[in-house]
Amino acid sequence: MAERPEDLAREYEGGRFRVVHCDGAVESYWEALKHVDARKAKSFTRNMIAQIKRLADGQPMSKGSFPKEGELPKLPGQQKTKHFHALKRIPLRGYCWLSKARPRTYFISHYIYKDYDNLADRDIEKVGNNWRRIEENGDDH
């Protein structure tokens, strides 16, 4: 099946970064998108893709559309706390981090529908599990 312009790709290669969806991330996007007015779903997705492409190209991202969300687990011997960010397109968020294991690569852990302010423990856990799988275990498939 040919990819339509309004479909999310598994990965995007930009001028500065590669942006890769973790296993299940694209599916979580479509699940979260069910909460968006169906008449706006295509344009909403096109705008999310444009935001991902801006990230891949290394273009400046505003704090409003790319806020720091939560702490990542620490590697052994790591002193400084690293954080993950959200690709924010209200009411959806895609949680991502810049990889140390894969240079110039952002990984998008998953997407959620979010109609509340606080970061849920289950989202921190899910990002942490994907981070450990990739950063500690080297499994980015």
Side-chain angles (χ1 to χ4, degrees):
M1 178 171 101
E3 188 174 295
R4 297 171 304 201
E6 68 271 12
D7 284 344
L8 283 178
R10 165 107 164 99
E11 68 179 71
Y12 295 86
E13 185 70 45
R16 185 160 180 207
F17 299 106
R18 183 173 149 234
V19 179
V20 178
H21 285 97
C22 292
D23 288 343
V26 171
E27 293 80 4
S28 72
Y29 177 82
W30 299 120
E31 188 62 33
L33 190 67
K34 291 177 182 177
H35 296 279
V36 174
D37 184 328
R39 295 169 296 180
K40 298 178 181 178
K42 282 185 181 182
S43 67
F44 194 93
T45 301
R46 279 193 302 270
N47 288 329
M48 180 62 82
I49 290 168
Q51 192 171 351
I52 293 168
K53 287 180 177 180
R54 281 194 305 275
L55 178 63
D57 284 335
Q59 295 178 4
M61 304 285 283
S62 74
K63 287 186 181 182
S65 65
F66 195 62
K68 187 187 299 185
E69 285 285 332
E71 294 182 1
L72 290 167
K74 288 185 177 180
L75 291 169
Q78 178 182 332
Q79 299 297 319
K80 188 176 179 185
T81 301
K82 303 285 184 178
H83 292 84
F84 62 92
H85 290 80
L87 289 163
K88 184 176 175 182
R89 186 120 188 99
I90 295 174
L92 303 188
R93 303 238 171 124
Y95 294 118
C96 64
W97 75 92
L98 180 59
S99 178
K100 288 288 187 190
R102 302 288 187 269
R104 299 183 336 96
T105 303
Y106 274 95
F107 285 97
I108 299 175
S109 171
H110 66 287
Y111 294 87
I112 62 159
Y113 168 77
K114 188 171 180 180
D115 62 353
Y116 50 89
D117 288 331
N118 295 336
L119 181 61
D121 289 341
R122 70 181 173 272
D123 292 314
I124 296 170
E125 182 179 351
K126 191 165 192 171
V127 172
N129 289 341
N130 279 320
W131 183 91
R132 283 184 195 89
R133 184 176 53 78
I134 292 167
E135 303 296 322
E136 292 181 340
N137 300 333
D139 177 12
D140 61 357
H141 294 293

